[in-house]
């Protein structure tokens, strides 16, 4: 029986990730040694391994005598860390996603103008840690999973102005829900400024994935297990009720997942390269023919 495989439109690399990867591979071609990234360049182990093969290694500790060129990852880094790196004397190449950079700049601007900064996102995510550092010590991160908004209740009453920004990969539906609760529960404030710092690539991918997930028997979600936006896609599909499998590469696919399915959906996170998506589709075709 012929199977119908549906690839979600826009699956795979987003603009910011593609830019960071292009920068990293370009640097790898020009420099033969002493090239490092501060943390993984993106949340995809296969891409990180390919860069290692070309002599670009992720590091958490900065050893000055070994580093000639340091690439800042797509998620960005805290402001104090960036200032610290500038003192090392090595070449620094900033591959921070422009959407993330926008959020950092807005956080810094709001803080300098006396606003209490609220960041909607995952406080443990490297992107949010970076944005937080630009927003000042009084900034508050509101976790999208915290429906009671306990963090928001910590806002000092004397501060009458708040500014709201978001982690770039947060789903729009969650952001709207949280912002509505903030506005309703904080009506004693004189001014609330809201900036849209969401990545439109991420929003479109979520919408396209939701549409496909409602029409298929099985969803295969491709991307790093440590990728927040890939996990977000998998959770969305599971919430819809379709059988969902989150994998990093084609080797993980079990024939039983797709054998009885008439229609199979495939989506991928922003850190998933096209060659991995192609391998996954080829493997599904092999199993279903």
């Amino acid at each position: 029986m012929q199977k119908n495989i549906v690839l979600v439109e826009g699956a795979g690399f987003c603009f910011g990730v593609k830019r960071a990867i292009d920068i990293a591979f370009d640097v790898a071609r020009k420099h033969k040694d002493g090239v490092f990234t501060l943390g993984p360049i993106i949340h995809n182990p296969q891409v990180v391994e390919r860069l290692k093969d070309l002599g670009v290694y992720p590091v958490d500790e900065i050893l000055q005598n070994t580093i000639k060129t340091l690439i800042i990852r797509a998620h960005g880094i805290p402001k104090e860390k960036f200032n610290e790196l500038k003192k090392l004397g090595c070449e620094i190449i900033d591959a921070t996603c422009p959407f993330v950079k926008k959020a950092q700049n807005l956080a810094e601007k709001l803080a300098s103008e006396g606003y209490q900064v609220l960041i909607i996102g995952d406080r443990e995510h490297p992107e949010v840690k970076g944005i937080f550092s630009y927003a000042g010590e009084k900034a508050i991160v509101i976790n999208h999973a915290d429906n009671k908004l306990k963090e928001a209740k910590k806002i000092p009453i004397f501060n009458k102005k708040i500014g709201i920004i978001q982690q770039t990969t947060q789903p729009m539906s969650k952001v709207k829900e949280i912002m509505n609760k903030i506005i309703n529960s904080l009506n004693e404030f004189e001014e609330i400024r809201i900036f849209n710092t969401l990545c439109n690539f991420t929003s479109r991918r979520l919408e396209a994935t939701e549409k496909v997930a409602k029409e298929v028997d099985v969803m295969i979600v491709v991307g790093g297990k440590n990728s927040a936006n890939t996990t977000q896609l998998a959770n969305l599909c599971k919430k819809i009720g379709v059988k969902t499998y989150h994998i990093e590469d084609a080797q993980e696919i079990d024939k039983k997942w797709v054998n009885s399915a008439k229609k199979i959906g495939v989506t991928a996170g922003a850190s998933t390269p096209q060659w991995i998506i192609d391998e996954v589709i080829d493997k599904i075709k092999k199993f279903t023919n």
Side-chain angles (χ1 to χ4, degrees):
M1 181 175 64
Q2 183 66 40
K3 307 285 185 177
N4 188 0
I5 302 171
V6 182
L7 176 63
V8 169
E9 184 180 355
F13 280 171
C14 66
F15 162 73
V17 166
K18 185 178 185 305
R19 174 179 173 274
I21 291 302
D22 287 346
I23 288 172
F25 278 98
D26 185 57
V27 172
R29 285 190 292 269
K30 294 176 179 176
H31 303 265
K32 298 304 177 185
D33 64 308
V35 181
F36 296 86
T37 64
L38 188 58
I41 186 74
I42 60 171
H43 282 159
N44 185 279
Q46 289 78 18
V47 171
V48 172
E49 287 302 316
R50 283 204 170 186
L51 283 169
K52 283 182 183 178
D53 291 339
L54 295 173
V56 179
Y57 300 93
V59 291
D60 295 317
E61 296 288 331
I62 304 299
L63 302 175
Q64 188 172 353
N65 59 336
T66 62
I67 295 177
K68 295 180 181 178
T69 304
L70 187 67
I71 305 172
I72 305 301
R73 61 189 173 187
H75 293 113
I77 59 173
K79 182 180 180 180
E80 56 271 17
K81 176 62 73 173
F82 196 89
N83 291 335
E84 188 182 312
L85 294 176
K86 288 194 289 187
K87 298 176 184 177
L88 293 180
C90 62
E91 180 184 13
I92 298 175
I93 298 174
D94 192 356
T96 303
C97 169
F99 286 99
V100 176
K101 186 69 75 175
K102 174 187 173 183
Q104 291 175 347
N105 291 338
L106 281 170
E108 188 170 43
K109 183 175 186 292
L110 285 167
S112 69
E113 294 177 356
Y115 287 85
Q116 168 66 59
V117 181
L118 270 61
I119 305 166
I120 298 175
D122 177 3
R123 68 176 71 252
E124 298 303 321
H125 194 280
E127 177 193 323
V128 175
K129 288 181 178 179
I131 295 170
F132 183 89
S133 70
Y134 284 84
E137 294 180 356
K138 294 181 180 179
I140 294 172
V141 179
I142 297 180
N143 190 328
H144 61 82
D146 187 356
N147 293 326
K148 294 182 179 179
L149 301 180
K150 292 179 181 177
E151 293 92 338
K153 300 301 182 183
K154 301 173 188 174
I155 298 174
I157 290 299
F158 61 81
N159 192 334
K160 296 295 184 180
K161 303 194 302 181
I162 63 171
I164 303 172
I165 56 178
Q166 311 87 33
Q167 179 182 353
T168 60
T169 54
Q170 289 292 293
M172 177 62 82
S173 58
K174 285 288 184 182
V175 169
K176 285 181 178 179
E177 179 186 354
I178 290 174
M179 287 197 296
N180 284 335
K181 288 183 179 179
I182 291 172
I183 292 169
N184 290 334
S185 64
L186 303 178
N187 53 14
E188 68 271 19
F189 285 80
E190 294 174 356
E191 183 180 353
I192 299 176
R193 298 189 69 185
I194 300 171
F195 291 90
N196 180 11
T197 54
L198 296 175
C199 169
N200 52 8
F201 289 87
T202 301
S203 300
R204 287 201 297 266
R205 186 188 297 106
L206 281 164
E207 290 172 5
T209 295
E210 182 177 8
K211 182 179 178 182
V212 171
K214 291 177 178 178
E215 300 173 350
V216 299
D217 304 304
V218 174
M219 279 297 296
I220 306 295
V221 183
V222 191
K225 298 290 172 63
N226 62 338
S227 166
N229 73 85
T230 306
T231 302
Q232 192 178 97
L233 291 170
N235 290 338
L236 171 66
C237 295
K238 290 173 184 176
K239 187 176 180 180
I240 289 169
V242 65
K243 285 185 179 179
T244 304
Y245 301 97
H246 180 177
I247 62 173
E248 289 193 348
D249 57 39
Q251 294 180 6
E252 295 181 53
I253 301 175
D254 190 321
K255 186 177 181 179
K256 290 183 286 187
W257 298 350
V258 297
N259 213 21
S260 60
K262 293 181 180 179
K263 201 169 184 180
I264 303 154
V266 178
T267 190
S271 299
T272 309
Q274 188 62 45
W275 57 270
I276 290 183
I277 298 172
D278 292 341
E279 287 178 355
V280 166
I281 291 175
D282 288 343
K283 187 75 171 284
I284 294 172
K285 287 179 178 178
K286 181 181 177 182
F287 279 152
T288 56
N289 285 338

